[in-house]
Amino acid sequence: MSLKINFSNYENIVFFTGAGMSAESNIPTYRGSGGIWHKYKFEEYACQVAFDRDPEKVLEFHKIRRKAVLECTPHNGHHAIAKFERSRGGVSIVTQNIDGMHQRAGNINITELHGSLFRVRCLNHGTHEDLGAFTEFKCSCGQYLRPDITWFGDSLDQGVMEKALSLISSCDLFISVGTSGVVWPAAGFPEIAKKAGAKCIEINPEPSEMSYLYAETIQGKAGEILPDLLL
Ligand code: NAD
């Protein structure tokens, strides 16, 4: 990796992360070989219709996913971004991941576009709660609490989307890590950053659908590139 960035030239830096950010932590992917949707049908486990039909089954599936994620640990790339955020102001993460790895590494300014495996919400009240307090997965109103993540067929949370768009359209450096650029609306973020005048850098072992938009593409793994880049 030969690219060196003078970070003092940039005021607002956004790291935009996807499933590839967690690959070296061994978090199971969704697609590809070994992906979750090869083993489980999303129609049975990851949509509102499935939850309405059999909430216990869907909740059990998410319990298994949480357990799998908690058995993994953040890698050197996660730690490098966390150290970088501690070292200066103006650093934010916009992540498509629901695995909580950036939090576990110590980052604070995190916008979770697709929610979190570690929160639940009540469809009657619309409240979002950390999972910690719940063992029964029932709200005081009697409603089952559903995982606070974006399932198939769900819309993105409007407030979260607005926050992400505001960060991205006001950043001057946009660093994308481990995203294929095929899942919308997040796939449109590099173009928004570029149009707003940000320098856009991509970190990915393979070219993505959106590689053509980036000023620089660093070909490699997040856990190897980030510690070196953010030194
Ligand atoms: P994706 O699976 O479509 O693409 C992953 C990208 O990461 C690919 O371009 C791949 O080349 C790259 N990659 C693989 N290993 C890498 C590494 N070591 N370092 C850097 N890049 C690497 O993922 P996506 O673009 O995030 O979209 C899939 C959707 O599924 C998103 O909504 C995502 O949040 C969700 N998802 C989340 C998790 C999680 O929370 N960890 C896991 C799987 C999928």
Side-chain angles (χ1 to χ4, degrees), residues 16-38:
F16 171 51
T17 65
M21 179 75 219
S22 296
E24 289 152 90
S25 292
N26 296 321
I27 305 271
T29 58
Y30 286 177
R31 294 182 287 261
S33 55
I36 287 173
W37 307 135
H38 284 285

mmCIF file of all heavy atoms in Angstrom, residues 16-38:
data_model
loop_
_atom_site.group_PDB
_atom_site.id
_atom_site.type_symbol
_atom_site.label_atom_id
_atom_site.label_comp_id
_atom_site.label_asym_id
_atom_site.label_seq_id
_atom_site.Cartn_x
_atom_site.Cartn_y
_atom_site.Cartn_z
ATOM 1 N N PHE A 16 -17.289 4.906 5.354
ATOM 2 C CA PHE A 16 -18.540 4.271 4.940
ATOM 3 C C PHE A 16 -18.258 2.769 4.833
ATOM 4 O O PHE A 16 -17.476 2.343 3.981
ATOM 5 C CB PHE A 16 -18.955 4.866 3.594
ATOM 6 C CG PHE A 16 -20.109 4.171 2.939
ATOM 7 C CD1 PHE A 16 -21.285 3.934 3.628
ATOM 8 C CD2 PHE A 16 -20.027 3.777 1.611
ATOM 9 C CE1 PHE A 16 -22.348 3.294 3.015
ATOM 10 C CE2 PHE A 16 -21.090 3.143 0.984
ATOM 11 C CZ PHE A 16 -22.251 2.896 1.691
ATOM 12 N N THR A 17 -18.822 1.974 5.738
ATOM 13 C CA THR A 17 -18.404 0.567 5.804
ATOM 14 C C THR A 17 -19.529 -0.411 5.457
ATOM 15 O O THR A 17 -20.710 -0.133 5.669
ATOM 16 C CB THR A 17 -17.826 0.222 7.198
ATOM 17 O OG1 THR A 17 -18.857 0.348 8.187
ATOM 18 C CG2 THR A 17 -16.670 1.123 7.570
ATOM 19 N N GLY A 18 -19.116 -1.556 4.914
ATOM 20 C CA GLY A 18 -20.061 -2.616 4.560
ATOM 21 C C GLY A 18 -19.572 -3.953 5.104
ATOM 22 O O GLY A 18 -18.612 -4.010 5.892
ATOM 23 N N ALA A 19 -20.207 -5.004 4.650
ATOM 24 C CA ALA A 19 -19.944 -6.347 5.192
ATOM 25 C C ALA A 19 -18.463 -6.735 5.117
ATOM 26 O O ALA A 19 -17.963 -7.447 5.984
ATOM 27 C CB ALA A 19 -20.792 -7.368 4.448
ATOM 28 N N GLY A 20 -17.750 -6.235 4.085
ATOM 29 C CA GLY A 20 -16.327 -6.563 3.944
ATOM 30 C C GLY A 20 -15.486 -6.034 5.092
ATOM 31 O O GLY A 20 -14.406 -6.566 5.387
ATOM 32 N N MET A 21 -15.980 -4.988 5.771
ATOM 33 C CA MET A 21 -15.263 -4.443 6.932
ATOM 34 C C MET A 21 -15.169 -5.503 8.024
ATOM 35 O O MET A 21 -14.189 -5.546 8.772
ATOM 36 C CB MET A 21 -16.013 -3.203 7.448
ATOM 37 C CG MET A 21 -15.412 -2.550 8.662
ATOM 38 S SD MET A 21 -13.923 -1.609 8.274
ATOM 39 C CE MET A 21 -12.893 -1.994 9.686
ATOM 40 N N SER A 22 -16.188 -6.354 8.117
ATOM 41 C CA SER A 22 -16.212 -7.359 9.194
ATOM 42 C C SER A 22 -15.742 -8.730 8.736
ATOM 43 O O SER A 22 -15.725 -9.670 9.541
ATOM 44 C CB SER A 22 -17.635 -7.471 9.762
ATOM 45 O OG SER A 22 -18.022 -6.264 10.360
ATOM 46 N N ALA A 23 -15.366 -8.846 7.472
ATOM 47 C CA ALA A 23 -15.022 -10.176 6.927
ATOM 48 C C ALA A 23 -13.861 -10.817 7.691
ATOM 49 O O ALA A 23 -13.897 -12.005 8.009
ATOM 50 C CB ALA A 23 -14.689 -10.061 5.445
ATOM 51 N N GLU A 24 -12.839 -9.997 8.009
ATOM 52 C CA GLU A 24 -11.676 -10.579 8.704
ATOM 53 C C GLU A 24 -11.957 -10.878 10.180
ATOM 54 O O GLU A 24 -11.138 -11.493 10.857
ATOM 55 C CB GLU A 24 -10.475 -9.645 8.573
ATOM 56 C CG GLU A 24 -9.921 -9.619 7.166
ATOM 57 C CD GLU A 24 -9.249 -8.301 6.875
ATOM 58 O OE1 GLU A 24 -8.042 -8.194 7.129
ATOM 59 O OE2 GLU A 24 -9.941 -7.361 6.421
ATOM 60 N N SER A 25 -13.117 -10.428 10.661
ATOM 61 C CA SER A 25 -13.537 -10.840 12.014
ATOM 62 C C SER A 25 -14.351 -12.121 11.950
ATOM 63 O O SER A 25 -14.865 -12.587 12.967
ATOM 64 C CB SER A 25 -14.384 -9.741 12.665
ATOM 65 O OG SER A 25 -13.615 -8.607 12.938
ATOM 66 N N ASN A 26 -14.519 -12.622 10.722
ATOM 67 C CA ASN A 26 -15.277 -13.870 10.486
ATOM 68 C C ASN A 26 -16.773 -13.753 10.744
ATOM 69 O O ASN A 26 -17.430 -14.737 11.064
ATOM 70 C CB ASN A 26 -14.723 -15.040 11.312
ATOM 71 C CG ASN A 26 -13.322 -15.376 10.888
ATOM 72 O OD1 ASN A 26 -13.015 -15.344 9.695
ATOM 73 N ND2 ASN A 26 -12.456 -15.663 11.849
ATOM 74 N N ILE A 27 -17.311 -12.533 10.619
ATOM 75 C CA ILE A 27 -18.770 -12.388 10.714
ATOM 76 C C ILE A 27 -19.357 -12.997 9.440
ATOM 77 O O ILE A 27 -18.926 -12.648 8.341
ATOM 78 C CB ILE A 27 -19.180 -10.898 10.780
ATOM 79 C CG1 ILE A 27 -18.469 -10.184 11.922
ATOM 80 C CG2 ILE A 27 -20.701 -10.741 10.829
ATOM 81 C CD1 ILE A 27 -19.124 -10.180 13.237
ATOM 82 N N PRO A 28 -20.341 -13.888 9.593
ATOM 83 C CA PRO A 28 -20.902 -14.504 8.385
ATOM 84 C C PRO A 28 -21.472 -13.465 7.422
ATOM 85 O O PRO A 28 -22.081 -12.483 7.851
ATOM 86 C CB PRO A 28 -22.041 -15.379 8.937
ATOM 87 C CG PRO A 28 -21.792 -15.510 10.385
ATOM 88 C CD PRO A 28 -20.990 -14.330 10.817
ATOM 89 N N THR A 29 -21.234 -13.666 6.142
ATOM 90 C CA THR A 29 -21.787 -12.751 5.135
ATOM 91 C C THR A 29 -23.226 -13.167 4.836
ATOM 92 O O THR A 29 -23.696 -14.197 5.309
ATOM 93 C CB THR A 29 -20.974 -12.833 3.831
ATOM 94 O OG1 THR A 29 -21.007 -14.178 3.386
ATOM 95 C CG2 THR A 29 -19.542 -12.393 4.044
ATOM 96 N N TYR A 30 -23.906 -12.351 4.031
ATOM 97 C CA TYR A 30 -25.280 -12.692 3.641
ATOM 98 C C TYR A 30 -25.272 -13.529 2.374
ATOM 99 O O TYR A 30 -25.929 -14.527 2.265
ATOM 100 C CB TYR A 30 -26.086 -11.418 3.370
ATOM 101 C CG TYR A 30 -26.474 -10.651 4.601
ATOM 102 C CD1 TYR A 30 -27.159 -9.445 4.494
ATOM 103 C CD2 TYR A 30 -26.192 -11.117 5.870
ATOM 104 C CE1 TYR A 30 -27.535 -8.733 5.615
ATOM 105 C CE2 TYR A 30 -26.553 -10.415 6.991
ATOM 106 C CZ TYR A 30 -27.232 -9.209 6.861
ATOM 107 O OH TYR A 30 -27.602 -8.511 7.957
ATOM 108 N N ARG A 31 -24.510 -13.006 1.403
ATOM 109 C CA ARG A 31 -24.474 -13.692 0.104
ATOM 110 C C ARG A 31 -23.149 -14.425 -0.020
ATOM 111 O O ARG A 31 -22.379 -14.487 0.925
ATOM 112 C CB ARG A 31 -24.609 -12.648 -1.002
ATOM 113 C CG ARG A 31 -25.971 -11.973 -1.006
ATOM 114 C CD ARG A 31 -26.057 -11.000 -2.152
ATOM 115 N NE ARG A 31 -25.251 -9.826 -1.889
ATOM 116 C CZ ARG A 31 -25.726 -8.669 -1.442
ATOM 117 N NH1 ARG A 31 -26.998 -8.541 -1.229
ATOM 118 N NH2 ARG A 31 -24.944 -7.639 -1.221
ATOM 119 N N GLY A 32 -22.903 -14.999 -1.199
ATOM 120 C CA GLY A 32 -21.636 -15.670 -1.446
ATOM 121 C C GLY A 32 -21.603 -17.024 -0.738
ATOM 122 O O GLY A 32 -22.514 -17.356 0.028
ATOM 123 N N SER A 33 -20.516 -17.750 -0.965
ATOM 124 C CA SER A 33 -20.454 -19.088 -0.365
ATOM 125 C C SER A 33 -20.377 -18.939 1.157
ATOM 126 O O SER A 33 -19.668 -18.084 1.666
ATOM 127 C CB SER A 33 -19.235 -19.848 -0.895
ATOM 128 O OG SER A 33 -18.081 -19.098 -0.666
ATOM 129 N N GLY A 34 -21.113 -19.752 1.860
ATOM 130 C CA GLY A 34 -21.135 -19.666 3.324
ATOM 131 C C GLY A 34 -22.049 -18.560 3.838
ATOM 132 O O GLY A 34 -22.146 -18.331 5.037
ATOM 133 N N GLY A 35 -22.706 -17.822 2.931
ATOM 134 C CA GLY A 35 -23.593 -16.725 3.340
ATOM 135 C C GLY A 35 -24.833 -17.254 4.056
ATOM 136 O O GLY A 35 -25.280 -18.377 3.813
ATOM 137 N N ILE A 36 -25.374 -16.413 4.934
ATOM 138 C CA ILE A 36 -26.524 -16.797 5.762
ATOM 139 C C ILE A 36 -27.718 -17.250 4.913
ATOM 140 O O ILE A 36 -28.412 -18.201 5.252
ATOM 141 C CB ILE A 36 -26.937 -15.598 6.645
ATOM 142 C CG1 ILE A 36 -25.909 -15.409 7.746
ATOM 143 C CG2 ILE A 36 -28.317 -15.796 7.254
ATOM 144 C CD1 ILE A 36 -26.115 -14.165 8.563
ATOM 145 N N TRP A 37 -27.932 -16.556 3.782
ATOM 146 C CA TRP A 37 -29.151 -16.857 3.006
ATOM 147 C C TRP A 37 -29.037 -18.137 2.181
ATOM 148 O O TRP A 37 -29.949 -18.506 1.469
ATOM 149 C CB TRP A 37 -29.582 -15.662 2.140
ATOM 150 C CG TRP A 37 -29.721 -14.400 2.920
ATOM 151 C CD1 TRP A 37 -29.266 -13.164 2.561
ATOM 152 C CD2 TRP A 37 -30.358 -14.227 4.205
ATOM 153 N NE1 TRP A 37 -29.562 -12.252 3.539
ATOM 154 C CE2 TRP A 37 -30.215 -12.867 4.558
ATOM 155 C CE3 TRP A 37 -31.012 -15.080 5.105
ATOM 156 C CZ2 TRP A 37 -30.707 -12.348 5.753
ATOM 157 C CZ3 TRP A 37 -31.497 -14.563 6.299
ATOM 158 C CH2 TRP A 37 -31.341 -13.217 6.607
ATOM 159 N N HIS A 38 -27.863 -18.816 2.273
ATOM 160 C CA HIS A 38 -27.782 -20.146 1.685
ATOM 161 C C HIS A 38 -28.358 -21.174 2.651
ATOM 162 O O HIS A 38 -28.917 -22.183 2.247
ATOM 163 C CB HIS A 38 -26.322 -20.518 1.372
ATOM 164 C CG HIS A 38 -25.821 -19.831 0.147
ATOM 165 N ND1 HIS A 38 -26.187 -20.208 -1.118
ATOM 166 C CD2 HIS A 38 -25.014 -18.765 0.003
ATOM 167 C CE1 HIS A 38 -25.613 -19.407 -1.995
ATOM 168 N NE2 HIS A 38 -24.904 -18.517 -1.333
#
